[in-house]
Amino acid sequence: MIPRVRAPELPQNYSWLNTDKPLSLKQFKGRVVILDFWTYCCINCLHILPSLKYLEQKYKNSLTVIGVHSAKFDNEKETENIRQAILRYDIEHPVLVDSNFRVWEEYAVRAWPTLIIIDPEGYVIGQISGEGNRDALDELIQKLIQQHQQKGTINFQELSLILEKQRQPLITPLAFPGKVLATQSGLFIVDSGHHRLVMSSFDGEILHLIGTGKSGLTDGAFNEVQFFAPQGMAFDAENQILYVADTENHALRRVDLKRQVVEAIAGTGEQSRNIRPHGGAGLETALNSPWDLVKVGNTLFIAMAGPHQIWQMDLETSIIKTYAGTGAEACIDGSLAESAFAQPSGITTDGKELYIADSEVSSIRSVGIVEPYQVRTVCGSGSLFGFGDVDGQGEDVRLQHCLGVEYAQNFLWVADTYNHKIKLVSSSGNCQTVLGDGSAGLQDGQGKNSRFFEPSGLSAIASFLYIADTNNHAIRRVDLNTLEVTTLEFIGLCAPDVCIPSNL
């Protein structure tokens, strides 16, 4: 008989979030407990959050989920940054900040995400790594509850917690804007935390609000449509069409500015589990966390973060398919079919190559869209753990989870997200810090005298660069002639349900 292992107790002297005091396993005796080992950069960790929320609600009287945040990147070790991630992803269970991987090691965890299942008597009875295990977990929890009901060791009671979103409600006009797109028609902003799009003039006058502000997948008029944490965009100026990566709906949406309607053009609304190269008709093909878009002619190229690939959609035929990447999470250069990426999250082009912010390998990659169709690494280590903050040349460069990239005036502008900086990269791979002093903050100023907080989107037009300064809930504007950074003000813009602008 296999000996039962008592679950190691959780440290009381570490930082805890979504609770007003440290929690112990002892106080959850009589409940099923799931420990979710995660790190907030990890797309796979984000993918299991809806499953955990479903199970928490289904078994709210008998199941407790505790997030154990074991940071991959240095920036993710900061408690305040983890708090922002909890707010951004609407996490409603307690989270323990696992400093120095102590709890990770005590539970012999080897990968993100890993779930540890603890029975109502405090014994570890299972471990599941990876995503896509909701049904198996549901079955296991049901079985445990039945067993312990018969033994008389179950304790049904609803848990009360003080959540970060109660302490710090998301009532700012913008909430965690992920991307921004500057066009001749105006400025498009994905107000990701409010599940909507904002279109404004360059002076901050609101032209359109697109979306109700509630998460969902609903087509229709601007005031009734719903998105779920949208990210990147691409604009067809001739036809006044905006394409949107509706990330957590695993869909692509088309926004018709003339008709003022939104409709899905790709994805089924369900997350694809197929990481092998494949494709099909747009609305019949399941997608996996599309994160950013760029349009070249009649082709939409997609940074598909979930399966670590670059995809393409023919806008005439509506056929969507893998363009580059095997589906392995790695940094492999070479032909389109042999190449590998690691959570690509930003995409731009010079017309000959796509440039990719390949976030989990903290590198800028290039993908050919003309012969010889090769993939190469422009700068960065190309390693999953080769990150830092080092300017220089090619593979000597160190970035930290870069999420945004923009081609302008023969250079690449890079949102070096976890270093809170904006960097400039030449075609030869020389990388230099231009904006930000490396400290998280909100500070206007010139060049390196400015401060950002996890910036993740960039867009240039004329002599200005616009930055989605995500954790500051702000859009910043940079005069490229002087490198002066200012923060945009939006006239009459409010959080959903806070107020309704009178001019809309």
Side-chain angles (χ1 to χ4, degrees):
M1 185 175 170
I2 300 170
R4 297 208 300 163
V5 177
R6 173 76 63 183
E9 190 49 271
L10 302 174
Q12 301 296 290
N13 59 339
Y14 281 22
S15 295
W16 285 80
L17 298 161
N18 271 349
T19 171
D20 57 346
K21 56 185 178 297
L23 303 174
S24 67
L25 293 178
K26 197 185 336 180
Q27 73 193 79
F28 297 120
K29 196 169 181 186
R31 297 173 72 86
V32 179
V33 175
I34 294 177
L35 300 182
D36 171 27
F37 286 84
W38 69 298
T39 186
Y40 75 79
C41 67
C42 162
I43 192 79
N44 311 94
C45 299
L46 303 183
H47 284 161
I48 68 168
L49 291 175
S51 296
L52 292 175
K53 185 163 281 196
Y54 167 84
L55 295 169
E56 287 175 271
Q57 290 170 352
K58 182 173 181 179
Y59 300 106
K60 61 184 175 185
N61 294 323
S62 48
L63 169 68
T64 297
V65 175
I66 298 175
V68 182
H69 191 276
S70 309
K72 172 186 171 179
F73 289 100
D74 290 341
N75 183 64
E76 295 176 310
K77 295 174 183 175
E78 301 291 333
T79 300
E80 180 54 34
N81 299 350
I82 302 166
R83 178 181 286 109
Q84 295 305 314
I86 286 169
L87 292 168
R88 188 184 322 173
Y89 299 116
D90 195 24
I91 295 169
E92 297 180 306
H93 51 248
V95 173
L96 166 65
V97 180
D98 183 19
S99 301
N100 303 316
F101 281 74
R102 173 182 153 181
V103 184
W104 171 286
E105 288 171 359
E106 285 178 345
Y107 280 88
V109 174
R110 294 285 173 267
W112 297 281
T114 292
L115 301 176
I116 302 286
I117 300 92
I118 300 169
D119 74 11
E121 293 181 291
Y123 291 93
V124 175
I125 56 99
Q127 175 174 322
I128 300 175
S129 293
E131 53 178 282
N133 299 302
R134 190 182 92 172
D135 292 344
L137 274 170
D138 198 345
E139 198 178 314
L140 177 58
I141 293 164
Q142 272 185 359
K143 197 180 291 183
L144 280 171
I145 290 169
Q146 286 168 0
Q147 285 174 359
H148 286 272
Q149 263 185 297
Q150 290 164 5
K151 288 176 72 173
T153 49
I154 200 85
N155 176 20
F156 291 111
Q157 60 176 23
E158 198 169 340
L159 204 63
S160 180
L161 296 166
I162 306 292
L163 301 180
E164 299 306 319
K165 68 179 182 181
Q166 292 168 308
R167 291 194 185 101
Q168 193 177 330
L170 278 183
I171 55 172
T172 47
L174 296 173
F176 300 107
K179 302 289 183 184
V180 61
L181 183 62
T183 73
Q184 296 292 346
S185 299
L187 204 57
F188 294 100
I189 301 152
V190 277
D191 191 6
S192 309
H194 288 147
H195 312 292
R196 66 182 180 181
L197 310 177
V198 177
M199 183 184 179
S200 79
S201 71
F202 293 107
D203 295 327
E205 179 193 350
I206 304 302
L207 304 176
H208 292 294
L209 283 182
I210 307 169
T212 65
K214 297 269 190 291
S215 62
L217 180 53
T218 304
D219 286 345
F222 283 6
N223 63 352
E224 61 189 18
V225 67
Q226 291 180 312
F227 301 90
F228 191 0
Q231 288 286 337
M233 300 166 288
F235 189 55
D236 175 351
E238 184 182 344
N239 296 301
Q240 292 289 290
I241 300 287
L242 181 73
Y243 296 96
V244 181
D246 195 1
T247 304
E248 292 198 31
N249 276 325
H250 309 289
L252 301 184
R253 314 287 289 281
R254 179 170 56 203
V255 179
D256 188 324
L257 291 172
K258 290 178 185 172
R259 293 166 50 226
Q260 297 195 12
V261 294
V262 177
E263 58 188 343
I265 58 168
T268 62
E270 298 292 323
Q271 182 193 345
S272 171
R273 302 285 176 203
N274 184 0
I275 62 167
R276 295 186 304 277
H278 66 286
L283 291 171
E284 296 169 14
T285 305
L287 308 180
N288 189 347
S289 293
W291 209 276
D292 201 9
L293 307 174
V294 70
K295 184 176 177 290
V296 182
N298 275 319
T299 300
L300 206 57
F301 286 101
I302 305 134
M304 199 75 76
H308 314 295
Q309 291 166 338
I310 308 305
W311 279 52
Q312 64 177 355
M313 182 172 187
D314 186 318
L315 294 170
E316 287 185 351
T317 65
S318 294
I319 297 296
I320 192 167
K321 62 184 179 181
T322 311
Y323 182 72
T326 63
E329 185 177 14
C331 180
I332 299 174
D333 292 342
S335 71
L336 300 179
E338 296 166 335
S339 63
F341 302 85
Q343 207 172 305
S345 301
I347 189 168
T348 187
T349 188
D350 64 359
K352 296 178 182 176
E353 294 178 288
L354 306 172
Y355 295 99
I356 312 296
D358 210 11
S359 64
E360 281 295 287
V361 287
S362 300
S363 298
I364 302 300
R365 314 285 300 285
S366 155
V367 181
I369 51 175
V370 297
E371 289 188 32
Y373 301 108
Q374 292 291 296
V375 176
R376 64 187 176 92
T377 300
V378 179
C379 68
S381 72
S383 162
L384 285 164
F385 290 90
F387 58 84
D389 185 5
V390 180
D391 291 348
Q393 182 69 37
E395 63 184 26
D396 296 332
V397 170
R398 292 292 176 269
L399 306 171
Q400 190 179 182
H401 197 70
C402 45
L403 289 176
V405 61
E406 170 77 338
Y407 178 81
Q409 300 172 356
N410 298 317
F411 283 93
L412 295 172
W413 293 88
V414 174
D416 192 3
T417 306
Y418 284 3
N419 283 325
H420 316 294
K421 289 181 174 182
I422 308 300
K423 297 185 176 179
L424 194 60
V425 177
S426 70
S427 58
S428 65
N430 185 272
C431 175
Q432 299 296 326
T433 298
V434 177
L435 304 169
D437 67 2
S439 299
L442 178 58
Q443 181 175 299
D444 289 345
Q446 192 171 31
K448 296 177 188 177
N449 292 322
S450 56
R451 282 188 176 172
F452 305 88
F453 192 177
E454 293 193 8
S456 47
L458 303 170
S459 186
I461 189 168
S463 59
F464 291 100
L465 178 72
Y466 292 85
I467 300 167
D469 195 3
T470 303
N471 282 10
N472 278 324
H473 314 299
I475 302 299
R476 317 289 292 280
R477 178 168 57 196
V478 185
D479 184 324
L480 295 179
N481 295 317
T482 63
L483 296 182
E484 190 72 31
V485 179
T486 53
T487 302
L488 286 187
E489 298 287 334
F490 295 96
I491 303 150
L493 181 64
C494 305
D497 300 329
V498 173
C499 68
I500 300 170
S502 58
N503 62 327
L504 296 175

